[in-house]
Amino acid sequence: MSRPTKQIHLAAHFPGVNNTTVWSDPAAGSQIEFSSFAHLARAAERAKFDFFFLAEGLRLREQNGRIHDLDVVGRPDTFTVLAALAAVTERLGLAGTINSTFNEPYEVARQFASLDHLSAGRAAWNVVTSWDAFTGENFRRGGYLAEQDRYERARRFLHTAWELFDSWRGDEIVADKDTGQFLGEPRPGAFAHHDSFFDISGQFNVPRSPQGRPVIFQAGDSDAGREFAASSADAIFSRHSTFEDGQAFYADIKGRLAKFGRRPDQLVVLPAATFVLGDTDAEARERAEVIRHQQVSGATAILFAEQLWNRDLSAYDPDGPVPEVDPLPGENTISKGRASVRMFDDRLATARRWRELGEAKKLSLREVVIEVTGRQSFIGSAATVAETINRFVQEDASDGFILVPHIVPGGLDEFADQVVPLLQERGVFRAEYTGTTLREHLGLELPG
Ligand SMILES: Cc1cc2nc3c(=O)[nH]c(=O)nc-3n(C[C@H](O)[C@H](O)[C@H](O)COP(=O)(O)O)c2cc1C
């Protein structure tokens, strides 16, 4: 028996503070002005996307003792941006990445419950643990948690936040103007939570929000991160965007749900993906090459190589060969504030591979970096890209994608205008929103 056709989920990631965002293109705009956020959100809503997504970075990254200048493009506060977007959109979900290492459950629960109210049920929380003490130096407790403890704190943090959300059932406010009775019970929002991380009690002061609890995302990729997602998240944001890798990740994560008493459809798998469109596949490939060269300038190639070599390579010529010198082993000390997921497992072997590739294909260091780092996920005409995305979803490499345009604010426009109508024609993507909340867009049940 053939199974029903899956509906694709799509989201718009405001491109982040990193080198893949091309700021030097004449069409590139501000990364921090509200008009840029609003433009991308409106394009996503016009295309009936499920949600808009913001990552979080809490410290300017440094490399080799200097501020990584490509990162200095601005990263305003998540809640402020999403609350402002709630006012200029009506149906689009609003997902924010907020870490559980440096915050407190009471404040985060208040912020998400408030966003869920202001947006009439469109809030989502991507619970990340963050990874480095360097970022932690910004905060009162510093980077005090060992890696394995961060997920334990995350689990307890999320459960505490759920207790706060659930401290209101939703029927406490009577607001009877005739009798003058406002509350139906004397002490709503009562909570008391005591464990080794949190020791809090009181009255939560935001009444139950439209979704009850915001949609929960998880993004960590380790075994502990995947277990956390399988036990507690409604959706997982991953980096596994190629077909085979995506299928393997999908099978792994969906296979973990049963032991937590959950069904496969209770966790939506959404890898990050990039795209380049053209009138023909050949033209898209040409554009993709141009974009890769914009993304990896000579200076960027050296910075990338330094992250692998873990040493100062500023004296090297990016248009010359891959450096002969070996990487420094051990913990990466040259680059601070970048996700550990970007770090390289075996530096010596990877550097050897880069050298061999350079020699075999007669490529400069810059060209090798262009070749080995972050290629675009979907390259082709609108028809090709629509067909490929649909195949990935129908064949369980994902349930959809969080699309990361390479340029703001207009990077999603072509996709919205050209690819989405083709997906709608195929009947695999909504032509109109059928629900009002993000839970409804994602096909998730309301929490009990
Ligand atoms: C796709 C993806 C996106 C992530 N986005 C963020 C982010 O925006 N902010 C952040 O602090 N950490 C982010 N992380 C890092 C995770 O929170 C986590 O700290 C890190 O991956 C280490 O956990 P792990 O070993 O389970 O992967 C992201 C991780 C992944 C895989």
Side-chain angles (χ1 to χ4, degrees):
M1 205 179 78
S2 71
R3 58 176 205 171
T5 306
K6 285 165 73 181
Q7 287 292 305
I8 298 172
H9 296 288
L10 291 175
H13 187 311
F14 190 85
V17 178
N18 60 42
N19 62 287
T20 53
T21 309
V22 176
W23 58 267
S24 55
D25 190 285
S30 167
Q31 291 263 128
I32 197 163
E33 282 170 22
F34 182 62
S35 57
S36 287
F37 293 103
H39 183 119
L40 189 78
R42 286 191 176 113
E45 187 161 74
R46 189 172 80 239
K48 317 293 180 218
F49 273 31
D50 294 68
F51 60 93
F52 174 97
F53 184 91
L54 284 180
E56 180 182 67
L58 293 167
R59 182 163 179 178
L60 287 182
R61 287 169 270 206
E62 287 180 18
Q63 189 152 317
N64 214 3
R66 287 186 301 274
I67 296 290
H68 191 321
D69 62 356
L70 293 164
D71 284 345
V72 187
V73 291
R75 176 94 83 176
D77 172 68
T78 297
F79 285 111
T80 319
V81 173
L82 295 183
L85 290 177
V88 298
T89 53
E90 287 182 356
R91 298 292 186 91
L92 187 67
L94 301 166
T97 302
I98 295 291
N99 81 79
S100 56
T101 301
F102 310 122
N103 297 306
E104 290 295 324
Y106 190 89
E107 64 182 345
V108 171
R110 253 176 68 72
Q111 287 162 319
F112 273 112
S114 302
L115 181 64
D116 206 43
H117 275 292
L118 290 182
S119 63
R122 297 186 278 140
W125 172 16
N126 180 30
V127 186
V128 296
T129 57
S130 196
W131 60 89
D132 63 338
F134 175 73
T135 300
E137 285 170 10
N138 281 333
F139 297 93
R140 181 164 60 94
R141 287 188 221 84
Y144 74 114
L145 280 180
E147 200 165 351
Q148 65 275 18
D149 292 338
R150 279 181 226 148
Y151 276 112
E152 190 51 29
R153 181 176 163 104
R155 228 182 322 277
R156 289 171 193 250
F157 193 115
L158 180 59
H159 283 264
T160 309
W162 279 340
E163 287 168 27
L164 294 169
F165 296 131
D166 293 347
S167 66
W168 288 78
R169 292 182 313 272
D171 58 0
E172 293 87 346
I173 297 180
V174 179
D176 188 328
K177 292 184 178 168
D178 294 329
T179 63
Q181 185 187 13
F182 189 77
L183 284 175
E185 67 173 73
R187 298 185 72 78
F191 68 90
H193 183 102
H194 308 288
D195 64 32
S196 52
F197 286 93
F198 307 109
D199 186 12
I200 58 173
S201 60
Q203 243 76 35
F204 189 56
N205 66 355
V206 186
R208 194 161 183 87
S209 71
Q211 293 187 110
R213 300 171 177 180
V215 173
I216 299 300
F217 282 72
Q218 201 290 126
D221 199 22
S222 59
D223 192 60
R226 293 181 188 203
E227 287 291 286
F228 180 40
S231 69
S232 310
D234 299 305
I236 184 160
F237 178 32
S238 92
R239 291 187 201 279
H240 303 282
S241 58
T242 61
F243 189 70
E244 284 80 21
D245 190 25
Q247 279 189 325
F249 178 76
Y250 192 95
D252 176 279
I253 200 81
K254 297 262 180 177
R256 292 172 188 250
L257 289 160
K259 68 170 175 283
F260 298 105
R262 305 182 70 204
R263 299 188 313 270
D265 62 340
Q266 289 179 300
L267 185 73
V268 183
V269 177
L270 299 171
T274 54
F275 59 89
V276 181
L277 298 173
D279 287 344
T280 61
D281 289 352
E283 189 192 303
R285 279 195 296 275
E286 271 170 38
R287 281 181 81 184
E289 268 311 297
V290 172
I291 292 165
R292 290 297 293 144
H293 280 80
Q294 285 180 313
Q295 289 170 325
V296 185
S297 65
T300 303
I302 294 288
L303 287 171
F304 251 123
E306 285 183 345
Q307 287 167 24
L308 170 57
W309 263 261
N310 197 19
R311 64 196 306 164
D312 184 351
L313 299 177
S314 54
Y316 284 82
D317 177 4
D319 296 319
V322 175
E324 280 299 332
V325 62
D326 275 334
L328 291 178
E331 196 192 332
N332 193 317
T333 48
I334 197 157
S335 173
K336 295 188 165 183
R338 300 192 84 83
S340 56
V341 286
R342 285 168 170 240
M343 301 304 177
F344 303 91
D345 288 342
D346 183 343
R347 287 176 216 290
L348 280 172
T350 310
R352 206 176 312 123
R353 264 204 314 280
W354 284 28
R355 254 182 239 120
E356 285 164 6
L357 179 68
E359 281 160 20
K361 291 196 174 179
K362 304 216 176 326
L363 300 177
S364 67
L365 173 60
R366 180 179 175 213
E367 287 164 332
V368 168
V369 173
I370 288 172
E371 181 100 4
V372 297
T373 60
R375 304 204 72 78
Q376 296 96 344
S377 322
F378 301 114
I379 302 172
S381 66
T384 300
V385 169
E387 189 186 316
T388 313
I389 287 180
N390 189 38
R391 181 169 66 86
F392 273 50
V393 172
Q394 302 310 331
E395 295 181 25
D396 286 346
S398 78
D399 291 317
F401 292 96
I402 298 186
L403 296 174
V404 192
H406 67 271
I407 198 166
V408 289
L412 195 66
D413 295 352
E414 280 183 335
F415 190 96
D417 295 335
Q418 298 174 23
V419 180
V420 168
L422 299 178
L423 296 173
Q424 290 168 329
E425 268 170 34
R426 285 169 178 259
V428 291
F429 189 68
R430 68 175 70 80
E432 288 300 333
Y433 288 108
T434 51
T436 58
T437 65
L438 178 55
R439 276 189 188 280
E440 288 171 296
H441 303 341
L442 290 171
L444 300 165
E445 292 149 9
L446 270 181

